[in-house]
Amino acid sequence: MIHSIFERRFPLKRPYVFQIGLVAVIALVALRLTIGWHFFYEGCWKVDNADEFSALPFLTLSKGPFAPIFYAMAPDLDGEQRLKTAEKEITFYVPDKVRVDVKKPGDEGFTGTVPAVVTSNEIVEKKETLTVYPAYYDSVERVYQKSLARFKPEGEQLKAFQLAWGKYVSSSTADLKADAVDVAEYLSGLARFRQDQADRNDGPEQKKRQWALMMKMRQEAKGLLQGQEDAANAFCDEVYSLLTDEQKKADSMPKFIVATDLLPFGVNLPIIGQSWTNFLNFSVTWALTLIGLCLILGFCSRLAAIGGGCFLIAVLMTQPPWPTLFPAAHPETGHALIVDKNFVEMVAIFMLATLPVGRWGGLDYFVWNGFGKPVMTYLGWYVEENK
């Protein structure tokens, strides 16, 4: 095909046409391999650094007209849902404190001891209506109930489980009370910010001010919720520490996932679990890895190129190199106007999708000749050029 194009357009002798066509094929294969390696290495790095990688920071720093789409992918980014309160009747347990009678100054036989409160080995069940953050409380209660069902603690271990639950209820509700005024002020400020966004003008100073305010409010929300995060994690750590080696081997500890991060409809996926954030990170990591590997091997290269191009469109939508957008790209990333390196790579990978580059030094050669061409010929969708 490439030979015939060159022969029609350039009146060169056939050896020269063949050389030019061969160089073009080599260049296109090299382009496929380099783009494939870029995607593959990005994916492999994320696999090796799974504890550090998260797609959320990239999404939450989106700018431009498409930013709200990506903000919506970050569960409850401004904390509004997690900061909603509700009244719940809660059953929890506290140590049974017993006051010990001791001698007082002036009593016969006084030895210098004073009254003290000591804790007995018993616990007391309490039932109270308390104000909680359901997004956290419901998730921790789910961990507690599942732990009781999975590990079936008895005796002293059961008491320890119940006391851990009581400590969580006490610390989480105390944190809520301590932050009540700050939370009310934050939610009021959030409502004003959204109204300001709706009425905003597009002046550069206004954009700069709103971006700074948005970053500040996100930090405020994170700080207000940190106490709930700490209480939930402390409860999970304490329960795990109470398990015996046999219990740990028999079953896994239930994962704490804040309610706003749960996948819809109670979906629980293998490896990923129930977390939307985990699903997002897993999808990005393995999409990059598989797209890159397919391009390197030349396997389903057109499909892989289309997938890679769509991914790069999403990247461009998060950080479009357009004038007047705030914040501007950091100078270290280079200087671009409308066209940046992501845009160039997107155009190149979509170009690869239009060509059979996987058949040139790739596994698609065998797929096409062993399966694709016979089927297409049988269906009448492919005819040899020399026939």
Side-chain angles (χ1 to χ4, degrees), residues 32-85:
R32 187 198 83 205
L33 292 173
T34 51
I35 294 178
W37 177 255
H38 181 206
F39 273 76
F40 182 68
Y41 183 77
E42 281 283 356
C44 288
W45 185 92
K46 290 171 174 56
V47 172
D48 290 339
N49 298 272
D51 294 338
E52 300 177 25
F53 168 70
S54 175
L56 293 184
F58 186 77
L59 296 176
T60 56
L61 292 176
S62 300
K63 58 186 180 181
F66 305 107
I69 298 173
F70 297 100
Y71 293 163
M73 294 182 185
D76 192 32
L77 182 56
D78 53 22
E80 184 178 22
Q81 297 300 316
R82 285 171 288 169
L83 288 169
K84 284 185 176 179
T85 60

Side-chain angles (χ1 to χ4, degrees), residues 87-276:
E87 300 290 323
K88 287 184 178 286
E89 188 177 62
I90 300 174
T91 300
F92 58 102
Y93 305 86
V94 295
D96 181 18
K97 293 183 178 179
V98 180
R99 181 169 293 279
V100 179
D101 293 329
V102 295
K103 294 183 180 296
K104 304 176 181 61
D107 292 344
E108 184 179 353
F110 174 67
T111 58
T113 58
V114 296
V117 175
V118 298
T119 302
S120 72
N121 291 328
E122 301 301 320
I123 59 176
V124 177
E125 178 180 296
K126 299 184 72 174
K127 184 177 290 187
E128 295 182 15
T129 299
L130 300 172
T131 303
V132 297
Y133 293 124
Y136 286 92
Y137 173 83
D138 292 349
S139 297
V140 177
E141 185 183 32
R142 189 181 302 112
V143 172
Y144 174 57
Q145 296 297 342
K146 284 185 176 181
S147 296
L148 292 177
R150 288 184 185 182
F151 305 115
K152 298 178 174 57
E154 297 177 349
E156 292 302 315
Q157 188 185 45
L158 176 59
K159 289 180 182 179
F161 268 57
Q162 293 171 334
L163 287 175
W165 170 246
K167 276 196 280 185
Y168 167 73
V169 171
S170 176
S171 60
S172 62
T173 53
D175 175 76
L176 186 152
K177 291 177 182 177
D179 290 341
V181 174
D182 292 336
V183 168
E185 290 179 355
Y186 169 76
L187 293 176
S188 177
L190 180 62
R192 291 194 301 271
F193 172 73
R194 288 178 175 171
Q195 183 61 43
D196 188 36
Q197 276 190 315
D199 300 337
R200 71 180 183 182
N201 59 58
D202 290 328
E205 289 302 317
Q206 176 76 346
K207 291 179 180 179
K208 183 177 180 180
R209 186 184 70 82
Q210 286 206 328
W211 181 268
L213 183 58
M214 181 173 67
M215 295 295 107
K216 177 176 177 291
M217 297 195 73
R218 289 180 184 175
Q219 287 301 314
E220 286 182 15
K222 184 178 180 180
L224 291 171
L225 291 164
Q226 191 60 53
Q228 297 295 315
E229 294 278 352
D230 292 343
N233 290 326
F235 169 78
C236 294
D237 291 342
E238 184 169 358
V239 169
Y240 185 77
S241 70
L242 296 172
L243 300 177
T244 64
D245 291 338
E246 291 74 17
Q247 288 172 324
K248 292 176 182 177
K249 291 178 182 178
D251 209 338
S252 60
M253 175 78 184
K255 300 290 185 183
F256 163 72
I257 305 171
V258 68
T260 53
D261 193 35
L262 287 171
L263 288 169
F265 311 113
V267 174
N268 190 356
L269 301 173
I271 302 175
I272 298 171
Q274 295 178 289
S275 170
W276 165 254

